[in-house]
Amino acid sequence: MASHGIELNENDLRMPASLRGLGGKLLGAGVLLTLIGVALGFTQAGLKHLMFAYITALAFTMTIVLGGLIWLLIQHVFRASWAVAIRRIGESIVRMMPLLILLFVPLLLLIATSSPESPNVIYKVFKWLDPSYVSGDADFLPNKQVVYGGYLNKGFFLIRLVGYFVILFFLARFFTSNSVKQDETGDVNTTRKMEKLSAPMIPLFALTITFLGLDLLMSLDPHWFSTIWGVYLFAGGMLSFNCVLALLMMTYQKHGALTKVIRTDHYHDVGKLMFAFVIFWSYIAFSQYLLIWYAHIPEEITFFAKRQENGWEWISVTLIFGHFAVPLLGLLSKHVKRHKPALAFWAVWLLVMHFVDMFWIVMPNYDAHHVPLPFVAIALALGFLSLIVGAAIKSASSKSIVAARDPRLGESLAYHNV
Amino acid sequence: MALERVMPAGLDNSSDDPSGRQALIVGNNTYESITEKVCGVVEDPKIDKRWLALFIVALGGLGMLGALIVYLIATGVGVWGNNTPVAWGWPIVNFVFWVGIGHAGTLISAILFLLRQDWRTSINRFAEAMTIFAVVCAGTFPGIHVGRIWVAYWLFPIPNQMAMWPNFRSPLLWDVFAVSTYASVSLVFWYMGMIPDLATIRDRAKHPLRRFGYGLLALGWRQNSRAWHRYEKAYGILAGLATPLVLSVHTIVSFDFAVSQLPGWHTTIFPPYFVAGAIFSGFAMVVTLAVPARAFYGMKDIITIRHLENMNKVILATGMMVGYAYAMEFFIAWYGGNRYEQFAFINRATGPYAWAYWIMVSCNVISPQVFWFKKARTSIPIMMVVAILVNIGMWFERFVITISSLSRDFVPSSWDYFRPTLVDIGMLIGSFGLFFTLFLLFLRFLPMIAMAEVKTVMNRPKQAESADKPEMAASLN
Amino acid sequence: MDSRISQTDGDEPRWISELKDHDDNSNQELYAVVAEYDTPDALMAACEQVRDAGFKDWDSITPFPVHGIDESMGIKQSILPWIVLGAGLTGGTIGLLLQWWTNAIAYPFIISGKPFFSLPANIPVIFELTILLSAFTAVGAMLALNLLPAFYHPLFRHPRMARYSSDRFAIVIEAKDRLFDREKVEALLKGAGSVGHEVLFAPEKRAPLPKVFHGVGILATLLTLVPLAYIAKARFTKSEDPRIHIIQDMDMQPKFKAQVPNELLGSLWGDARASLLPMEGTIARGEFVEDEALHYGQDESGNWVTSFPVEVDQALLERGRQRFDIYCSVCHGHAGDGNGSVNQRATALARFGGKGMAWAPPANFTDPRIVAQPVGELYNTVANGKNNMKGYAAQIPVEDRWAIVAYVRALQKAQTVPVDSLTDEQRDALGSN
């Protein structure tokens, strides 16, 4: 479809071979790093540390992929056109939902095979699995017994997780495969179908990410709770996904793909989203902190009390400056957002900070008395991310790298930031 | 190279065909016709009878508010229904209600600007005015509920002979700063947006007093591009500032409640929940005002069905966010095992204020669900009903939060039931009088639609349309 | 829509001749050439030509901001964002310093357990002040950079200026541009597709400010100094007058203060105190003593009573034992030998604790001196204390004090009675324990 003079030919729609090769290399690197992480866990760090690091890495990757899914849903519900040119890149990440689900399987297996007679290390991770922990609460938190019975137990937990995965699998598949189908049919109704479904799917997604985050991360400390948890994870996920998107866009262009299609204005917009979600993440994180700090109720303050002693205070301060203050000032200027190397720098910075955020959430549950060495968690997180990105690139290589017959592609190609 | 939009045959531009974007301004409108339409309202030499009738009613409400405030100051805070333990009653509910309504205006001006939603241009002037007037109504209540209103200046950090300073550790003081900042920044943003339109009215004005008045307000604006460049930059910066501002104001209002230890109040989701609720009620108020105004003033081709539909979509989205927050509060209350928190929510649904709770749920969660259907989103009667229900529901939400949590907290011997007095009720009604007085004055004397901004989103006229203009030639030398 | 100013049939437009009527002394000079365009695209194309021709003192007039015109005109980016950034940082700093200084330095007070300098609690106000200053600066700097307000401008003399704020577009090229040449400019603009053009004249010099304004300005400036002068006077002088106190509240109450001498009362009663002493012979409630021997252990002459004013029976002794064990045994021991746990501890401390640990041991009741004391004196010791021992009157009611005295007597008797005086049954009872 011609649009203000930009014509796309067959070559423009195909992924260059060098990029596909890079995808393979990333996939390999991902496997290697994961194996290194697991090996380190078994030999040096210990199984319990390995499990917590695994969950950190899962949280890191899961928020990115889910961030991609909600980004995609938002594009459709807003009927936005600016991102149509890069949507296929975003979709490639979302398409990896089954791979993400696969990464959860070891965890689920560990939970499924655990029992009070033969407890395994997972009992030290999800303490509510352990019946003696549950009965220990009976005097001090009588009303919570119902919760252990009705919600925080092995059976329902597994059913719920499977449920979330089913929902996420179908959501991801619907929106990515319909988009690809439109490449052949050019059917305008496909766009309509995706727009119409995206609206009711957003509340469903919101509940899914909330409860997945609650089950996987908040239940690591069964006595603690926060109603803003789902929103917090969404904020971090959206932010990190936009960073990954920016880096992927640059990678594609570096290998010669999408050179006519992606303009500086697209980077500018992705940069704006990164900036906006730095602010949004900071707002949510601060709200959570301020309310709990101000009321100082013993049952809630444990979360922050753990994270302001024994070395964890340095991680907290790192988040304040590294996840909020410094990137806020750094991404303020539009020149930064339009300058690819600068944007790449901030994208990598924020991904590192997102890892620190997930580390800060998960690891104090492993050891609140000192900050453990992060190498296992880093290896696993990098490994998982590499796996996902590598697989995404490889999977995208078999399809058009641009939504060539999307009715709004023309607007996207001609799009000019004010 | 502006976007070329598809002009529908009639006035209905709500088609969802993805192959082209619908025009936002329909009918045979040109730049000139927009000017004529909008300025015509302001330049009308006669006073419209219906406007006058509404204005007199609104003035009556304002008068009642004024009289009740005088009565309150002369007699004392006891004229309200506030008791122990419900020490915060209707005044705080009204305050949060009005501040929430104000947020839609800033959202439309600022956030929709940042999101490049061109449809905001038909309603942003209108909505920003609504913001200012809603904040005026809101500010009245904390002002009068402090008890000794004559020392309300103690809230500000002014050097004084007692060498005392305000307590910055209190959210009530953060509120003072937040609402003051919000009021001033909204006012400045609204005014700055109006300068070009005031210049238009000035240039058309025949009567010297009108020319002087609007001329003074227009500050000598002569719409040259170099000035527009800085203006647009300032506008973009203000939009970028107003966005976190509007989030922060209702967040800080939510902190008034959430920093406490009261079950039902102390929960971390309050900040985004309150902001979503504010936008929810604000948009409902914009719809409630826009539907009659566009019919009354013949602006159906500028504030089109598409604009209303988009607003209804926002109402649905924010309503879902509010519903999500209700669900999270309930679930986490159960999950946390805190019996006071659990009781607070059971009490809301089944206790003495259950009637208020169910009004809130049906108005806020159930009624906007009709907007999943396009027919409902584009139907004027349905959207008016839903918008009014949403506003009622949001008032009740603040009522339920404040009063049900206070009336029954930790110690049963302290429980008591709150009943409003006639003064409470009179002041709420009177605040609507204040709001509508200001709003009707705005409709009459100021350009209700941002002409300059609307013109930027219209299809650009084609070159071929520039036929010879005989009247132009005659004035040239 | 016609021009607001009607045309006359003259050589020159009426407004020019009117100008000449009013400004007799000023010369009119050519200010600019204005060309009209009727579509934004036409305008932008023309702007590009003017820009490329090298003009600097020119502008375009549009009723709304035209996207893309900044490039067409070659307008440089404004420094406005940097000014706003500076203002925002200033606002944030002011917020931080204000809260720190007022709450931690100038007027620190304890509230809700929060530290005096509570950074988390200070964030909202810091944020608001950042936004406030940034927003006001954005608007103020925009107006200042645009040199607004500017109620006079030669462009307002253009007969079609009203159209340019409604639906038409124009390019203005000022005569002061160094490339300006009237014919060339007119040709350029016409060639770029204008639908008409006009020349504008403006006075060479601006009309001088009427003298009245000078006077008013000087007066206003002087008037603003008056309040400052008052403040300075108040700051550096002292006054005996009471300060102005508009809202009285309940600040000055017509009452007598408890510790302040008051002449009125002095003149009435002779005692200037608002809290008078009780009259002679006043007895406080609960303090009426009927039986002096019972209450004081003394008879009328002040001698210690030697017999119990209460019935001494087994019940009294039991009560006495119970009370003794509660109140007295800690120091005096259960046997009344003066070696209760306090004494043991204190002696140990005195031995090992070092300096300043002088300890007078509690009395041993079998001490002949104490055995010889009449019961009234023992009673007095219980009630009012002796030496280091504090009186227990506040804790032990009268009856119980006599019970304790009876028990003390029993203890004394138990430890001092010779064995020989016991009967055989009593000896056996003791021995079998």
Side-chain angles (χ1 to χ4, degrees), chain A residues 79 81 143-144 147 151 188 192 200 210 226-228 269 283 290-291 294-295 299-300 408 411 415 417, chain B residues 16 18 21 116 169 251 255 258-259 261 266-269 271 306 324 331 334-335 337-339 342 372:
Chain A
R79 315 233 288 258
S81 62
N143 286 32
K144 192 124 181 154
V147 177
Y151 189 80
V188 152
R192 257 327 267 150
T210 300
S226 165
T227 36
I228 210 175
D269 264 8
Y283 159 62
L290 181 73
L291 295 175
Y294 203 102
E299 67 188 352
E300 286 183 345
R408 300 201 181 100
E411 258 182 69
Y415 157 66
N417 223 324
Chain B
D16 287 325
R21 293 208 189 268
R116 294 192 296 260
R169 288 161 277 181
T251 295
F255 285 162
V259 300
Q261 294 160 338
H266 179 69
T267 179
T268 44
I269 204 170
R306 180 165 218 88
Y324 168 88
F331 177 77
W334 177 76
Y335 175 91
N338 179 323
R339 63 188 144 143
Q342 291 175 351
W372 287 110

Side-chain angles (χ1 to χ4, degrees), chain B residues 49-363:
Chain B
K49 292 278 183 300
R50 287 172 296 176
W51 181 92
L52 189 61
L54 283 172
F55 187 67
I56 289 175
V57 172
L59 268 183
L62 175 59
M64 174 166 74
L65 179 69
L68 286 172
I69 290 179
V70 171
Y71 176 55
L72 171 78
I73 297 178
T75 313
V77 178
V79 302
W80 284 330
N82 300 14
N83 59 28
T84 308
V86 187
W88 255 0
W90 281 37
I92 205 79
V93 172
N94 296 343
F95 162 64
V96 182
F97 173 72
W98 280 115
V99 166
I101 285 181
H103 282 21
T106 324
L107 181 110
I108 293 175
S109 296
I111 302 180
L112 292 184
F113 175 83
L114 294 178
L115 293 176
R116 294 192 296 260
Q117 300 295 300
D118 288 340
W119 57 275
R120 62 179 271 285
T121 51
S122 298
I123 49 172
N124 70 333
R125 176 66 47 71
F126 201 82
E128 280 165 42
M130 183 196 80
T131 293
I132 310 285
F133 306 142
V135 175
V136 168
C137 292
T140 320
F141 288 101
I144 60 179
H145 95 337
V146 291
R148 284 187 294 172
I149 299 152
W150 49 92
V151 288
Y153 64 87
W154 284 350
L155 290 167
F156 293 90
I158 303 171
N160 55 68
Q161 64 203 105
M162 301 179 286
M164 289 173 72
W165 296 97
N167 174 24
F168 284 107
R169 288 161 277 181
S170 165
L172 303 179
L173 209 85
W174 307 339
D175 246 347
V176 167
F177 277 77
V179 177
S180 314
T181 304
Y182 187 52
S184 10
V185 173
S186 299
L187 190 63
V188 150
F189 195 17
W190 181 60
Y191 174 61
M192 191 184 91
M194 261 199 296
I195 291 175
D197 289 347
L198 292 168
T200 307
I201 299 178
R202 167 201 67 196
D203 291 338
R204 288 165 55 101
K206 291 197 182 86
H207 194 282
L209 203 60
R210 179 179 280 270
R211 203 180 175 95
F212 177 76
Y214 287 101
L216 194 63
L217 288 173
L219 301 179
W221 178 258
R222 52 180 198 279
Q223 57 271 1
N224 52 315
S225 289
R226 292 178 202 275
W228 277 120
H229 171 80
R230 296 185 195 102
Y231 179 91
E232 287 286 279
K233 265 213 159 25
Y235 197 97
I237 291 173
L238 271 177
L241 289 170
T243 301
L245 176 65
V246 78
L247 258 61
S248 73
V249 171
H250 224 64
T251 295
I252 291 174
V253 169
S254 82
F255 285 162
D256 285 346
F257 300 94
V259 300
S260 71
Q261 294 160 338
L262 212 55
W265 279 17
H266 179 69
T267 179
T268 44
I269 204 170
F270 257 38
Y273 156 45
F274 263 52
V275 172
I279 297 168
F280 185 45
S281 61
F283 266 78
M285 184 60 94
V286 175
V287 169
T288 312
L289 295 171
V291 165
R294 70 196 268 276
F296 204 80
Y297 290 109
M299 305 278 189
K300 288 189 186 176
D301 48 353
I302 305 179
I303 304 178
T304 65
I305 290 287
R306 180 165 218 88
H307 293 91
L308 297 173
E309 186 188 3
N310 286 348
M311 286 197 267
N312 292 331
K313 287 184 185 173
V314 175
I315 290 177
L316 176 62
T318 46
M320 298 297 288
M321 291 182 207
V322 168
Y324 168 88
Y326 292 165
M328 282 314 293
E329 284 186 302
F330 236 101
F331 177 77
I332 295 283
W334 177 76
Y335 175 91
N338 179 323
R339 63 188 144 143
Y340 302 105
E341 192 83 19
Q342 291 175 351
F343 174 76
F345 287 97
I346 295 172
N347 177 50
R348 278 190 191 175
T350 59
Y353 288 105
W355 56 274
Y357 178 81
W358 291 107
I359 291 179
M360 169 185 103
V361 170
S362 46
C363 290

Side-chain angles (χ1 to χ4, degrees), chain B residues 225 230 233 455 463 466 476, chain C residues 38-39 60 77 146 166 197:
Chain B
S225 289
R230 296 185 195 102
K233 265 213 159 25
K455 290 171 191 170
Q463 281 293 81
S466 63
L476 297 175
Chain C
D38 57 357
T39 70
S60 61
Q77 295 294 312
N146 283 339
S166 166
H197 65 272

Side-chain angles (χ1 to χ4, degrees), chain B residues 203 206 471 475, chain C residues 1-7 15 157-163:
Chain B
D203 291 338
K206 291 197 182 86
E471 75 273 17
S475 68
Chain C
M1 195 185 72
D2 289 333
S3 162
R4 293 286 168 218
I5 301 164
S6 53
Q7 301 293 312
W15 53 269
R157 297 172 162 205
H158 195 295
R160 285 178 69 77
M161 190 57 177
R163 293 303 292 269

Side-chain angles (χ1 to χ4, degrees), chain B residues 4 29-31 455 458-466, chain C residues 38-42 64 167 169:
Chain B
E4 187 69 26
N29 273 306
T30 61
Y31 299 143
K455 290 171 191 170
M458 292 169 68
N459 285 339
R460 292 220 184 146
K462 299 276 183 295
Q463 281 293 81
E465 284 168 17
S466 63
Chain C
D38 57 357
T39 70
D41 294 326
F64 55 86
D167 57 305
F169 310 82

